[in-house]
Each structure stands twice: as C-alpha cells, then as structure tokens.
Amino acid sequence: MTKKKPLQLFARLLGNERWQFITIPAFSILCSLVAISVIILLIGKNPLEAFSSLLAGAGWIAKSNYAGGKAAFTDFMDMLDAFTPMLFAALAVTVALKSGLFNIGVAGQMLLSGFIATVAVGYSDLPSVVARPLVLLIGIVVGAAAGALMGWLKDRFNIHEVVSSIMLNYIFQYVISFFIKTRYIDPVSRQSRMAAASARLEITDIKIAGVTTHFPLGLVLALIAAIGIWFLLAKTKTGLELTATGLNAKSARYAGIRTGRTLIIAMGISGALAGLAGVTYYLGSVRSIIPGELTSVGFDSIAVALLGNTHPLGNIASSLLITTLTSGSTYMSSTVGVRQEIASLIVGMILLFSACGGYLKLWVQRATSEQLPDKGSESVHPRTISGQEEQA
Amino acid sequence: MSEVIGVIGAGGKARPDSAAESDVILELRHVTKRFPGVVANDDVSLSVRRGEIFALLGENGAGKSTLASMVFGMYEPDEGQLFVRGTETRITSPAEAVALNIGMVHQHFKLVSNYTVAENIVLGDEPLRRVAGVLPWLDMRGAEQRIADLSARYGLEVDPCAVIENLGVSAQQRVEILKMLYRDSEILIFDEPTAMLTPQEIEHLLNIMRNLRREGKTVILITHKLDEIKQVATRCAVLARGKLVDVLEVADTTTAKLAAKMVGYDLALTIEKKSAALDNAPTVLQVDHLTVEDDNKFPVVNDVSFRVRAGEIFAVAGVAGNGQTQLADAIAGLAAVKSGAISLDGVDLTQMTVRQRARAGIAYIPEDRHGMGLILDLPLLQNLGLKSYFHHPFSQRGILQTEAFEHHARRLIDDYDIRAGQGPRTLTRQMSGGNQQKAIVAREVELDSRLLIFVQPTRGLDIGATMAIRRRILDQRDSGKAILLISLELDEVLALADTIGVMYGGRMQKIAPAATMDRYQVGEYMMGARASTSASASTSTNASISPNTPATSAAPATSAAPEASAAPAEVQAGTGTQQG
C-alpha cells in the first residue's frame, strides 16, 4: 500500500485528460532519453555531452566555434531545411490515417513530383517569380494525382492502398531512375543535374549581421498547411466526412456519405501534401535526385505522424523533434565520438515508448479511478450510472 | 430501506437451520461498490443456494452487472463481505474466481475467431502430457473427447472441431458455457445471455440452464426479461438504482409484480393502440418484386413485394437471417438491388444514392447500432447530426457550425430523454446501450421523414426504454408516417403491427392485417411450415431456372449467346408477374 502512494501521485500528475495529449508524449520522450543515457554510459561516453552536442548540431544552442560566416543560426536554418519536407510528409500520412487509410507511398509521391518539377521547371530559364509558384503547383497537382490514383484503385478494384502504394513506389523509383540515367545525369556526381537556383524553394546567401544563411520558402507554407489541415479535419464538412469514413466506413455510408469519393479525396489531399514534401525536398535543400533511391523522409514521416498523435498540430512538434535528432547527429558523432546511428536509436526509442502511450493512458485511468475500462457491459460505466442517478 | 432490512431478515431466516446454511453457496453481506460520484451497489445483502437458478433483475444501470462482476473478481467491493461456500473470501481477479469454480459468460464473447472450439476452450488451461516422461505434448484429442462428452451431457450441441468464425452467435455462447464447464465451474454467471438470440435459441439456452441445474450447478442469471425469469429461475433478486428491492420466490409471483418492483411503480406492459384508418390512406412505400443478392449471388431477398401506407405500421416478422436486414438495407440504399423497384410516394428510388433517398423521405434505425447507426468515437452532438451535418444550419459554405450542432443536440437530449454524462460533448462510446439507441431514434425521427424503418428497435433495452421507443413508433404512425418495423421479437410485432408480413428464406411468405393473424399462425409462417405460398414460389423459381439451363449450356455451341440468354430473361419476368 505504501508503495502505491507515490505511484498514484504520479498518476494524478498525468491524469488530467485535458493535458494528456502533451504530458504522455513528454513522459515517453523522457523515458527514451533515460534509456538512451544508459546506453551512452555503457559505451563509456557522457550522455549529457552527447545530448547537448545533438542540440548544438541542430542549431538550438551554440557550438564552441564556427567557421567564418557561420553561426548557430545557420545550423538552425539547416535543420529547418529538413523540417519543412518532413512536416509536409507527416501531414500527408496524418490525413490518410485520419481517413482510415495508410499512405505508405509518400516516398514515391515525393520522388514523382520532385522529378517532374525538376525536369519541367528546374531545367528551364524561367524567372523565379514564375518558376517557384509553378514548382509548388506541380508538387500539389502531381502528388494529388498519384494519391488519388491509389484511392481510385481501392474504390474501383478493391486494391488495398498499402499494396498499390508500395508497388507504385517501385514503379516511380525505377522509371524515374531510367530517365535520369538516360537524359538528366550529371556525369561527375552520378546524380541528376542540379536544378536552377531560380526554381529552388530556398533563398540562399542571405547575410544577417555578417552571418551567411538561407531560408526555406516552404517553411511558412508547411506551417500554414498544418493549421489548414487541422481546420479541414476539425471544422469542415469534408473533414467530418473524412473522419467519419476513417472511424467507421459502414456508418459513414449509412449517413449518406459517398465513401468511395471520400476515399479518393483523402488520398488526393494526402498525395498533394506528399507532393509538396517532394518539391520542398528535391528543390529545397537537396538539389538533385539520386537515381534509384527513395528518400527516407517518406518512411520516417509515418513514425513522425504517429509520434505527433496523428494530429496536424502535433506533427509540427514531432517533426521538429525528429529533424533535430537527425540533423544534430553528425555533429554529435564528430565531437563526442558517439556514432551517428545513436540518433536513429533515440528516434526508435522514442517511438517505442510513445507506442506504450496508449497503455500508459489506460494505466493512469485505472490508477486514478480504480476502474476497469475494458469491462464488457456498458451498464456499469460510471457515466451511465450517474445518468441513472439523475433519473432518481 | 425497510425492504433491504426485510431481505437481510430473509437471509437470517436460513441461518438457524444448519442444513439450509450449508446449502448457501454464495453470500453477499452489506456489499457496497462506489464509482467516482456514483454508488453502483448500495448495501446489498443476498445469498444464493446451491443448485438454484438465481436471477438478478433490474433496468439498465441498476447495478446487476456490477454485482456479478464483483463475484467474478473484476471489481472488489468497497464495503461488505463475500462468502463462498461459507468462508469469507476476497476475489481480486477473474483467475481467482475461476479457481473458486466460478465462471461467467459475458455479453461480448471472448473467443479467438480462427481457432476451433476445443482450442478456445483449453486456452489458458492446456492439457499437457509428457511423451516418454519428458516431451511436453498437447493432448487435443483427449480435450476434444472431454468437450464432446460435456456437450452431450448438458445438451449443448457443440462440435469441438468447428472453427469459431463459422459458428453463429448462439453456438459461440454455448462455447463460452463449455469453457466454464471444462474448468469445473459450479457457479455459472450469465450476463444478459438472451439479448442477441432468436426465440428458438433462447428456448435452447433456457433448456441448457435447466440441464445445468439438474446436474447440480448453480446459475446466476442477469436479465431484464421477465418471462425468462418466470420460465427458469427459482428465485429472483430485484435491483433498482443500486439498491436491493426484494428477493422473491419466482413460483409465488407474477411478471407484472416483478416489473412493478423493478421500475418502482406499476408499469403498463401493453400499449394502448388506436386502430388505424387505412382504407383511403395513400401508399408511401411501394416495393415491387425486389431481389437482393449477397456476395455469393444467393438471393437473400427474393422477389418481395409489399406496400406501406401513411399511418400504417407494417411489421415484418421472421427468424433471424431470413433476409429482413437486407430488405431494410436495400430500401435505404445500402444494399445493391438485383432486380425489382422501390418507390416512395410514387417516385422511383431504385437508382438513388443513400443520401438522395434519405432526403426523399426515408429515416432508418438500423439493427447494428454500433457498426452502422453510430460512430462511437465521435461525440454525441456529431452523431445526432450525422444525417443533417451537410446542410443549413449545420454547414455553411462547407464550414461546420458548432453552435448549431450543440443547440440541436441539447434539444434532442431534452426531448428524447437521452442521458449523457457530459451533455452534447459526451463520447458516444461512453453512453449506455439504451441511451445510444435513444440517440439514433431521436436523430431519425427528427428528420421528419415520410417513411421510418425500424429494425430491432428495442433489442437489449430495459422495459422503460422499450416502452418509450414503442410509444414513439406509435406516435409517428398516428401523425401519419409510414412505418416499416422489422423485429425478431414476435411480441413486438404483435403489439405494434397494423399489417404483418412474415419473411422466411428471403421471401415474403404472408401478408395479412394484424387483426386476422394470431401468434401461432405467425409462428408457423416464420418457421416456413405453412408452405402454401412458398410451394407456388418454388415452382416459379424452377420454371425460371429450367429454361435457363439448356440455354446456357447451348451457348458455346450456338454463338448466338446474347439472344439465347435474353429469351429466358423474358420467361423469368413473365413468371414474376404471374406470381404477383
């Protein structure tokens, strides 16, 4: 009994349902950092040093010294370079998940839209005022078309979106690889030729207080997209149709929602976001395409979306966290001597612990109310009984 | 309060008699269980005798499930004591309850669907043998034999080798019973066991309970169905709002008396019904030669024709699985129509979408409340707006108007007495079954449609809620709506119908005014026993199939396949009209 006391106190700390969406992920992250600290200690390094070098590498805190014209601000902008496509991609996964679909084809959709935008605009002489909006437009249209295709295949032929998107990933990957190798190859780098600076979604060589930096144009758009998707899902008619179909397709059909159409719309929106991720990636910080390779952003985004509790605004936080870890890891390995892979390990640990979030929630619920939530009969639910009390 | 004391007195009466004392297998003394803000069981004292069928009666939320859950170790009482076989016991988990030979069949079965019956039963208690003294070996053969023996002994009729997903609800329930028997349970708790069963299956289950009793088992039956108690139970404890009202010898009481105890006042078990004036009433729903096929191309609804007039309750009786659900789905637009036509107020609906039909004037209270009628993970206010979210005032230029939803929900909650802990924002999943159904009924009735389809509207509801919904159906009829009522409960059909249609094997066997049919006639049609119409129906099926067979077999030879297949289609249409 005495052992139970601090546990209950802790449970009450996490128990406030209003704040659980933030307290539980925070607790999961804390747990994983503790676990990782143990591992870093075991390999004989200082975990605090490792973490601070991670943060320094991502530009959150200052490094001990910088090369000429660089500052923490530069590193921070580098991190935001990676953050922008990650947020778009995570939103793509989120929209699909909220609609009951699993878009595992984000990487393929990114590649397709990035490639088409590079070829159509990146190699042209269009001035940036025309080129940049055109790149974004291509990203949206091509991505949406690729996504909607999967939705249509599911609606028309009952092909599961996971199967079709994995297959299409391969098709995009190899067909595009063929074109790059035969037409757009840079003989030196063995990658596609660099896209013109005027088409890139990035303002380079800005000088602020003697520091050279750059600014990802997609960043603002990505943040707007996160808010926009939140609004779409929570406040609009279409959003209600998407969530209703995602939660229970049979009920949605009963309510008169054309679930087939909803499916195509959901995959279309998801694809459009993936397309934006593609152009902000391939025409953002990365300026060329490696033939025959899908970017890991597409797959990491699934984890990021889940870590963000498949909430559009939660995705902002989770994308920031994951990109901080990945972009800080190079500096960590060079200064502390902790291998870069540790960053992936941290990401994995965080995901593992946040997967336990559901259990934690259940546990908190039990500890605070001493009640079994999975009890079969509804009639014993306190709310029901309180309803009965009102009757009395 | 005086009643509670009376019961303790009744328990006390047994005490001086030492023979009766040993007869008590389970005793609860002053048991109280509180949930945050609520007292689920308030100072309940009762004793269950060895070898009796002891019923716990009460409305939804009266605390009967909580009480049984404490016996099965799912909760611990906050106050009071529990005696099993005369010794005070604390049961802190279901595993401990099983060790004390207490078993429970839950409302929702806990079975692995792709395992066999025997595998499910031995799960967690596998019969291990050592081959040559060392190698562990799962003795499935022996387990199957033992299960088959148990099944035969108690009349359960379960094949130990059948796979769960191929079994119906009733058979799965019997597997749960076998699970308890396999673990040598002496006290068997049934939580609302008949809620999902057809009349025949209920009969079978009650027989099983009698067998259990004959073999010396003690049965605790949680129910709110009075006639079941009357049929099998020896004694009955009535609970209301967590308190024990009384314990009665079933043989000495009447169902009316039980009902009065349960709700706390005398309740009219029959509904006053004005007879409908239908002679000049316009036809609202017209169904012509409707055929619906399932995924295997089997005609689950086969050439069904009927009409429902304004101010009429057309009740479809039938045993579960004879095409009633598919008929309702087809009218609402949720099942594809193979052939035939559906029209509402003379407008043909057959090609319309679900929403077009709803807007044309069809409200639908479906059988599957959780799977279809509601989206459990959405709050109540959105579920109440599920059929109207897309138009004014709920949506404006594609943006949802939260205040409109809230206002609408508050009004319906008041008007239809829906009880939801947190008002419109309550997650629908957290509401009780009765209130969930009230919410569906409220939403659909508010659509003010010409036709209302009710499928199993009162299944699993307590008497109070059942009566409220039945009255609501009659009110709708009296206000000139056409009602299509589909129910498996014959009592419901007989209580409400103006016209009765009986479905069997996908066909409408008989349509007649309710006044001209009695319970037994309807029952005979339900079982397909009266074959007068079905005989002619089957000949017409033969007639339409036989010319078809040579035509299709001849097709490869003659190459004029399209013409050949067109001819029998005409024949089919011809026989169809003749029959109609």
Side-chain angles (χ1 to χ4, degrees):
Chain A
M1 276 293 126
T2 44
K3 217 185 110 197
K4 228 176 173 179
K5 276 273 152 59
L7 269 180
Q8 259 173 355
L9 191 77
F10 168 68
R12 207 160 309 144
L13 213 67
L14 288 178
N16 191 334
E17 266 181 55
R18 269 178 68 93
W19 291 101
Q20 262 184 0
F21 77 98
I22 186 106
T23 50
I24 288 188
F27 179 70
S28 309
I29 291 165
L30 198 72
C31 286
S32 55
L33 290 181
V34 170
I36 286 294
S37 303
V38 173
I39 294 172
I40 295 176
L41 280 173
L42 283 176
I43 56 175
K45 310 282 179 187
N46 182 348
L48 284 177
E49 224 174 284
F51 292 141
S52 64
S53 71
L54 257 181
L55 288 178
W60 289 100
I61 52 176
K63 294 176 187 171
S64 50
N65 54 55
Y66 286 96
K70 297 220 169 196
F73 191 62
T74 328
D75 292 323
F76 190 69
M77 280 299 160
D78 278 338
M79 191 271 291
L80 289 183
D81 269 345
F83 167 76
T84 305
M86 182 61 92
L87 179 54
F88 274 126
L91 288 172
V93 176
T94 295
V95 168
L97 282 177
K98 281 282 176 195
S99 316
L101 298 160
F102 190 33
N103 186 0
I104 202 173
V106 171
Q109 291 147 18
M110 281 175 73
L111 179 65
L112 183 71
S113 55
F115 172 72
I116 292 179
T118 304
V119 170
V121 186
Y123 296 154
S124 72
D125 309 322
L126 291 171
S128 58
V129 203
V130 184
R132 282 177 180 153
L134 202 58
V135 164
L136 289 173
L137 189 70
I138 289 173
I140 293 171
V141 171
V142 171
L149 171 69
M150 288 165 208
W152 181 76
L153 286 173
K154 181 166 188 173
D155 179 38
R156 185 79 177 76
F157 302 107
N158 200 21
I159 300 171
H160 199 278
E161 75 277 5
V162 167
V163 176
S164 64
S165 53
I166 289 178
M167 293 304 155
L168 281 168
N169 273 355
Y170 282 118
I171 293 170
F172 295 150
Q173 184 182 342
Y174 289 112
V175 169
I176 289 167
S177 167
F178 167 80
F179 280 111
I180 291 175
K181 282 180 178 163
T182 52
R183 285 163 165 254
Y184 306 111
I185 197 86
D186 180 330
V188 180
S189 67
R190 304 304 300 163
Q191 297 181 10
S192 70
R193 298 199 312 269
M194 286 281 198
S198 59
R200 284 181 58 200
L201 301 170
E202 189 149 66
I203 304 172
T204 47
D205 297 331
I206 315 167
K207 290 217 196 281
I208 301 169
V211 177
T212 315
T213 186
H214 49 85
F215 183 77
L217 285 171
L219 177 66
V220 184
L221 208 62
L223 293 172
I224 292 171
I227 295 164
I229 294 296
W230 167 77
F231 186 80
L232 173 82
L233 289 175
K235 303 279 173 194
T236 68
K237 193 184 86 163
T238 314
L240 180 60
E241 290 179 346
L242 293 180
T243 24
T245 310
L247 288 170
N248 187 339
K250 206 170 146 196
S251 296
R253 218 162 84 76
Y254 159 78
I257 296 167
R258 282 149 73 193
T259 47
R261 222 191 75 193
T262 310
L263 192 87
I264 296 172
I265 290 174
M267 281 309 272
I269 296 173
S270 175
L273 289 162
L276 282 169
V279 291
T280 49
Y281 181 78
Y282 289 109
L283 287 150
S285 51
V286 183
R287 295 174 61 187
S288 62
I289 302 169
I290 306 170
E293 212 171 89
L294 291 172
T295 162
S296 65
V297 173
F299 299 104
D300 290 347
S301 62
I302 296 166
V304 172
L306 293 173
L307 183 62
N309 210 5
T310 60
H311 190 289
L313 304 180
N315 281 338
I316 299 179
S318 59
S319 301
L320 206 57
L321 177 70
I322 301 298
T323 40
T324 297
L325 294 174
T326 44
S327 41
S329 61
T330 326
Y331 183 67
M332 175 181 71
S333 76
S334 65
T335 53
V336 191
V338 174
R339 288 193 58 86
Q340 213 166 338
E341 282 73 16
I342 282 287
S344 314
L345 202 59
I346 299 178
V347 175
M349 282 281 182
I350 289 175
L351 290 173
L352 199 65
F353 279 103
S354 29
C356 305
Y359 172 76
L360 200 63
K361 217 166 167 174
L362 197 80
W363 177 81
V364 167
Q365 205 177 343
R366 277 188 202 187
T368 47
S369 66
E370 287 186 23
Q371 173 214 348
L372 296 169
D374 61 343
K375 173 68 177 59
S377 167
E378 298 139 325
S379 55
V380 291
H381 197 280
R383 288 209 177 84
T384 318
I385 299 161
S386 67
Q388 211 65 36
E389 283 290 302
E390 282 158 30
Q391 179 190 24
Chain B
M1 210 44 216
S2 61
E3 286 147 331
V4 178
I5 293 163
V7 174
I8 301 166
K13 242 187 281 171
R15 244 167 250 150
D17 187 344
S18 64
E21 174 89 60
S22 69
D23 255 17
V24 172
I25 192 164
L26 177 75
E27 190 180 355
L28 283 76
R29 283 191 203 160
H30 305 291
V31 166
T32 297
K33 176 72 193 170
R34 297 186 193 90
F35 289 114
V38 184
V39 184
N41 288 129
D42 187 0
D43 193 24
V44 174
S45 298
L46 50 83
S47 55
V48 180
R49 294 181 202 134
R50 188 183 299 277
E52 74 172 339
I53 298 181
F54 188 87
L56 282 175
L57 174 69
E59 292 197 276
N60 293 342
K64 43 194 199 307
S65 284
T66 312
L67 201 62
S69 301
M70 283 191 282
V71 175
F72 192 58
M74 298 178 76
Y75 304 122
E76 277 187 77
D78 296 327
E79 285 165 32
Q81 300 148 293
L82 205 67
F83 292 81
V84 180
R85 297 182 195 87
T87 42
E88 186 178 352
T89 319
R90 277 188 62 211
I91 308 176
T92 57
S93 73
E96 283 177 39
V98 171
L100 287 163
N101 296 22
I102 301 172
M104 184 161 178
V105 174
H106 299 273
Q107 260 177 327
H108 303 274
F109 307 141
K110 297 168 190 320
L111 297 168
V112 183
S113 62
N114 55 349
Y115 276 21
T116 66
V117 169
E119 283 165 346
N120 265 287
I121 290 171
V122 301
L123 204 61
D125 187 19
E126 295 84 356
L128 286 180
R129 265 192 197 169
R130 300 269 168 193
V131 174
V134 269
L135 284 168
W137 176 262
L138 183 61
D139 181 23
M140 277 314 290
R141 204 55 70 72
E144 278 164 15
Q145 187 53 51
R146 206 183 136 203
I147 291 162
D149 290 346
L150 281 172
S151 171
R153 186 163 146 210
Y154 293 96
L156 290 166
E157 296 170 26
V158 172
D159 171 15
C161 300
V163 177
I164 295 296
E165 60 197 354
N166 300 334
L167 298 178
V169 176
S170 160
Q172 291 190 19
Q173 185 178 55
R174 282 178 268 134
V175 175
E176 289 281 4
I177 299 172
L178 270 175
K179 236 188 197 171
M180 297 194 290
L181 295 173
Y182 187 83
R183 285 163 178 72
D184 298 316
S185 294
E186 275 187 72
I187 304 172
L188 297 91
I189 307 169
F190 289 83
D191 190 2
E192 304 272 2
T194 58
M196 314 226 283
L197 303 183
T198 65
Q200 286 74 12
E201 289 165 345
I202 291 173
E203 199 49 52
H204 187 187
L205 179 68
L206 297 182
N207 274 328
I208 292 167
M209 286 187 193
R210 289 187 191 104
N211 291 343
L212 290 168
R213 187 181 172 213
R214 206 182 50 226
E215 299 281 336
K217 306 281 186 192
T218 308
V219 175
I220 298 176
L221 170 64
I222 302 171
T223 186
H224 51 242
K225 291 193 183 165
L226 303 166
D227 51 330
E228 286 162 15
I229 291 175
K230 194 68 190 151
Q231 279 188 52
V232 294
T234 41
R235 289 192 308 148
C236 170
V238 185
L239 291 164
R241 291 176 291 277
K243 288 195 170 137
L244 185 68
V245 177
D246 207 347
V247 179
L248 301 158
E249 291 286 339
V250 173
D252 305 339
T253 188
T254 62
T255 48
K257 215 162 137 192
L258 285 172
K261 290 263 184 201
M262 179 165 111
V263 295
Y265 52 89
D266 286 315
L267 187 87
L269 289 174
T270 50
I271 297 186
E272 286 288 317
K273 196 179 111 194
K274 286 178 278 178
S275 60
L278 294 170
D279 294 336
N280 297 318
T283 298
V284 175
L285 175 73
Q286 177 83 49
V287 174
D288 284 314
H289 301 292
L290 182 72
T291 297
V292 178
E293 287 184 345
D294 67 4
D295 294 339
N296 304 320
K297 304 273 172 213
F298 180 80
V300 277
V301 175
N302 199 344
D303 195 24
V304 166
S305 301
F306 64 93
R307 65 170 176 162
V308 187
R309 288 162 288 184
E312 177 183 23
I313 296 179
F314 185 97
V316 178
V319 180
N322 277 287
Q324 301 99 312
T325 318
Q326 289 87 348
L327 174 66
D329 279 353
I331 296 169
L334 289 158
V337 171
K338 178 76 168 73
S339 60
I342 301 159
S343 61
L344 192 76
D345 286 327
V347 181
D348 184 39
L349 300 176
T350 320
Q351 298 305 319
M352 286 191 186
T353 63
V354 180
R355 175 151 304 161
Q356 284 166 336
R357 292 186 205 210
R359 303 213 85 182
I362 295 181
Y364 181 22
I365 290 93
E367 179 179 25
D368 187 356
R369 293 166 203 166
H370 290 176
M372 192 187 262
L374 295 166
I375 300 178
L376 294 175
D377 291 313
L378 286 180
L380 178 61
L381 80 166
Q382 290 190 335
N383 271 301
L384 288 172
L386 204 57
K387 287 281 184 78
S388 40
Y389 72 91
F390 52 89
H391 60 65
H392 185 84
F394 300 98
S395 276
Q396 277 172 19
R397 285 191 221 96
I399 311 280
L400 298 178
Q401 305 298 313
T402 315
E403 308 84 62
F405 275 95
E406 201 135 334
H407 180 77
H408 175 73
R410 282 192 196 287
R411 192 167 59 76
L412 264 55
I413 286 172
D414 287 346
D415 290 359
Y416 292 80
D417 189 28
I418 303 166
R419 304 218 171 100
Q422 294 155 350
R425 299 266 164 200
T426 311
L427 201 61
T428 316
R429 186 180 290 286
Q430 292 172 339
M431 293 166 53
S432 73
N435 284 307
Q436 288 173 343
Q437 180 70 350
K438 278 188 199 165
I440 299 176
V441 171
R443 179 184 68 208
E444 298 301 316
V445 169
E446 278 301 301
L447 293 175
D448 199 20
S449 303
R450 291 282 288 151
L451 170 74
L452 289 102
I453 306 172
F454 288 86
V455 184
Q456 290 279 77
T458 62
R459 187 185 68 182
L461 302 189
D462 61 53
I463 291 194
T466 299
M467 288 300 158
I469 286 177
R470 287 187 186 164
R471 268 193 211 101
R472 186 73 68 180
I473 295 172
L474 282 174
D475 286 349
Q476 288 296 304
R477 179 199 74 158
D478 293 342
S479 68
K481 302 289 166 58
I483 312 271
L484 174 62
L485 169 71
I486 296 176
S487 180
L488 300 179
E489 281 178 57
L490 198 47
D491 290 325
E492 183 157 87
V493 169
L494 294 169
L496 297 175
D498 297 310
T499 309
I500 296 178
V502 187
M503 275 189 91
Y504 175 75
R507 288 176 182 276
M508 198 64 89
Q509 293 288 85
K510 174 79 180 172
I511 296 173
T516 65
M517 299 249 275
D518 66 20
R519 165 180 299 270
Y520 299 99
Q521 282 171 314
V522 177
E524 281 177 4
Y525 285 111
M526 276 167 72
M527 310 306 281
R530 289 239 179 158
S532 56
T533 42
S534 77
S536 73
S538 68
T539 47
S540 82
T541 323
N542 288 340
S544 63
I545 286 170
S546 48
N548 218 337
T549 324
T552 40
S553 60
T558 58
S559 86
E563 288 167 32
S565 61
E570 273 174 32
V571 176
Q572 206 163 3
T575 50
T577 36
Q578 269 168 19
Q579 198 203 346

